[in-house]
Amino acid sequence: MSKKNLAVIFGGRSSEHEVSCISVQTIIKAVNLDKYQLHLVGITEEGKWIKVKDIADIQDGSWKQSKDVAIISPDTKGELLVGKENSDGTYCYDENIKIDVIFPVLHGMFGEDGTIQGLFEMAGIPYVGCGVFASAASMDKFYTKLVVDTLGIRQAIYVGVIASELKNMDSVVARVESTLSYPVFIKPSKAGSSKGVSKADNREMLIAGLLEAAKHDYKILVEETIVGRELECAVIGYDKTTKASGIGEILAAAEFYDFDAKYNNAESKTVIDPELPEGKAEEIRECAVKIFNALDGFGLSRVDFFLEKDTGSVVFNEINTLPGFTSISMYPMLWKAKGYTIESLVEELIEMAVERP
Ligand SMILES: Nc1ncnc2c1ncn2[C@@H]1O[C@H](COP(=O)(O)OP(=O)(O)O)[C@@H](O)[C@H]1O
Ligand SMILES: [Mg+2]
C-alpha cells in the first residue's frame, strides 16, 4: 500500500506560535509512518512558509533560518509546492507534491480562525479539525456568545466595546459600570492563550485593561467575573457522532489562568476527572457536545467552563478548535483517561478528515 502524503503545518503568525511549535512535536511523534509520508511545513512569526526537514530542526528552532520554502497552492490540484529562496529574496518553487491530508497544528489567529481552512477548501485538500465557519465563530468570543445564547446555556454577562469607542473612555466606563460590578474580566474578542486578558478591580484597571485588549483586537468584551472552578471537556467527532471526554480541572497558580500560569508556571496543575457535585460532569459533557455541534464543529475541540462557587451552576467560557497538544495539555490527557493513546487519537483525527462528508 502506498503511503498517503500528510502535510503537518505548524508555527504561525499568532501569539501562540511557540505553543504550536511544542504541540506539533507531540503530533509528529504520534503519526503512523507506515501509513503516512510526512511533509513538515513551518510558518514563521512573519508569515514565511518553510519546508522543514525533521523534528530536530523544530526542537532547536533552526528551521526558521532554512532557505527551503513550501506553500500549499490554492489551485485545486491540491499540491504542496516546494522550492528554494534565492539570494535576492525571490522564491523558486520547482517540486509539486500532491497532498492527501493536512494536519494544521496552528493555534490562534491565521490558524484556528478559519483563514487557513479557507485555503485548504480552495485547494480541495482534506484537513483535520473544524471548517471555516466553526473556526471563525469559535475564535471570535463575541460571536461564540451569540450562538451559545441560543442554546440557553449560561455565560458570563458582558458588555461589548469597539476599540474606536475608547476615545470616549468616560462613556465606555459608564456603560460598563452600569451593567457590571468590579472585578471584571476584559478580553479581546479574538485572541488566545490569555494574551490581552486582564482582571480589573477598579476603574483605573478597567481603563488600562481596555487599552491593552485593544492592542489585540478592535472588538473587546468586558465580562462579569465568575468565581468558581475552571473545568474543561474535550470533544471528538461531528454532528451525531460527537463524543465528549471526561472532565479536566485547571488549578491555576496565579490569580487567573494567564499566559505565564499556562506555560511558565510549573505550579499550575491539571486534574483529570476531579471530584464534582452530583450530575455536574454529565451536564458539562452534554453542554460541550451541544456547543460544539451548534457551532458546526468538526473533528476536535476543547470546551471550557466554570462551575460557579455560590450557585453551583455551569457557565460556558470559551471553545478552542485547535487545543494545545503539548505533553501537559488537557486535550490529549482527557482522551488518555478514556483509553486513547496519542497515536490512536491522531490517527482518528486524520481518518475523520479524509472521510469528511
Ligand atoms: N468571566 C470570567 N470570570 C473569571 N475568570 C475569567 C473570566 N474570563 C476569563 N477568565 C480567566 O482568564 C483566563 C483566560 O480567559 P479566556 O476567556 O479563557 O481566554 P483565552 O482565549 O485567552 O484562553 C481563563 O482561563 C480564566 O482563568
Ligand atoms: Mg482559555
Side-chain angles (χ1 to χ4, degrees):
M1 191 185 71
S2 70
K3 290 187 189 182
K4 282 195 170 127
N5 283 319
L6 167 68
V8 174
I9 309 185
F10 68 93
R13 289 163 61 191
S14 83
S15 53
E16 291 159 279
H17 176 97
E18 293 302 333
V19 183
S20 159
C21 294
I22 302 171
S23 289
V24 76
Q25 296 179 37
T26 317
I27 288 172
I28 293 169
K29 286 181 201 151
V31 169
N32 178 355
L33 297 176
D34 292 332
K35 200 166 163 193
Y36 300 102
Q37 176 70 45
L38 261 184
H39 302 273
L40 304 178
V41 178
I43 302 176
T44 66
E45 281 108 325
E46 296 75 35
K48 183 173 170 182
W49 291 49
I50 290 177
K51 178 83 175 74
V52 180
K53 264 195 281 326
D54 57 44
I55 193 169
D57 295 355
I58 305 174
Q59 278 155 353
D60 64 16
S62 61
W63 65 274
K64 292 180 194 181
Q65 270 73 53
S66 171
K67 299 284 176 200
D68 298 329
V69 289
I71 51 170
I72 294 289
S73 160
D75 189 295
T76 50
K77 279 163 86 180
E79 290 172 338
L80 180 70
L81 311 184
V82 182
K84 284 261 176 239
E85 180 179 1
N86 301 317
S87 51
D88 63 358
T90 56
Y91 300 163
C92 168
Y93 297 102
D94 52 13
E95 189 192 349
N96 302 15
I97 302 167
K98 171 101 181 102
I99 296 297
D100 297 298
V101 57
I102 299 175
F103 200 142
V105 191
L106 296 159
H107 308 305
M109 299 294 286
F110 305 111
E112 203 177 341
D113 63 350
T115 51
I116 205 164
Q117 287 75 12
L119 171 64
F120 305 153
E121 294 283 346
M122 294 284 292
I125 307 173
Y127 56 96
V128 170
C130 286
V132 173
F133 174 79
S135 301
S138 302
M139 188 72 218
D140 191 316
K141 293 185 166 75
F142 176 74
Y143 282 98
T144 313
K145 285 217 192 250
L146 297 187
V147 174
V148 175
D149 261 340
T150 66
L151 302 174
I153 293 169
R154 194 178 147 201
Q155 311 179 72
I157 297 167
Y158 69 100
V159 173
V161 179
I162 301 293
S164 59
E165 294 176 309
L166 299 181
K167 279 183 272 183
N168 299 314
M169 189 59 94
D170 289 350
S171 76
V172 172
V173 168
R175 190 148 56 90
V176 170
E177 291 181 348
S178 69
T179 312
L180 307 171
S181 44
Y182 293 106
V184 293
F185 264 84
I186 305 144
K187 47 179 108 164
S189 193
K190 298 189 294 289
S193 276
S194 303
K195 295 281 182 173
V197 177
S198 65
K199 185 180 183 186
D201 297 327
N202 53 49
R203 193 174 291 176
E204 288 69 42
M205 291 170 86
L206 170 64
I207 294 170
L210 286 166
L211 294 171
E212 180 56 33
K215 291 181 191 159
H216 298 264
D217 190 13
Y218 74 97
K219 267 186 303 186
I220 303 162
L221 301 180
V222 184
E223 291 184 351
E224 70 173 307
T225 293
I226 305 294
V227 179
R229 294 165 70 179
E230 281 198 66
L231 303 170
E232 306 187 337
C233 182
V235 295
I236 192 166
Y238 62 96
D239 195 21
K240 300 236 164 10
T241 72
T242 306
K243 283 186 295 193
S245 68
I247 308 298
E249 179 165 20
I250 302 290
L251 302 171
E255 196 185 357
F256 71 96
Y257 204 38
D258 61 10
F259 189 84
D260 268 351
K262 276 179 183 162
Y263 303 111
N264 301 329
N265 194 327
E267 299 295 306
S268 288
K269 287 193 173 59
T270 49
V271 182
I272 304 297
D273 292 325
E275 200 63 53
L276 289 173
E278 178 76 25
K280 291 298 163 188
E282 208 36 53
E283 185 181 343
I284 289 171
R285 296 177 71 239
E286 278 169 22
C287 288
V289 171
K290 270 193 210 157
I291 291 166
F292 179 75
N293 285 346
L295 287 159
D296 198 27
F298 186 95
L300 74 163
S301 282
R302 197 193 69 227
V303 194
D304 299 351
F305 298 88
F306 300 106
L307 185 64
E308 196 175 42
K309 192 168 165 222
D310 289 348
T311 61
S313 68
V314 170
V315 183
F316 166 69
N317 181 34
E318 63 150 347
I319 175 166
N320 293 283
T321 52
L322 219 122
F325 256 93
T326 70
S327 57
I328 56 155
S329 292
M330 194 67 105
Y331 190 86
M333 289 203 306
L334 281 167
W335 286 119
K336 193 173 164 210
K338 285 275 172 277
Y340 277 84
T341 59
I342 182 90
E343 288 79 10
S344 60
L345 194 56
V346 165
E347 180 59 18
E348 182 158 338
L349 290 168
I350 297 172
E351 290 266 307
M352 216 188 300
V354 176
E355 288 156 19
R356 188 191 299 249

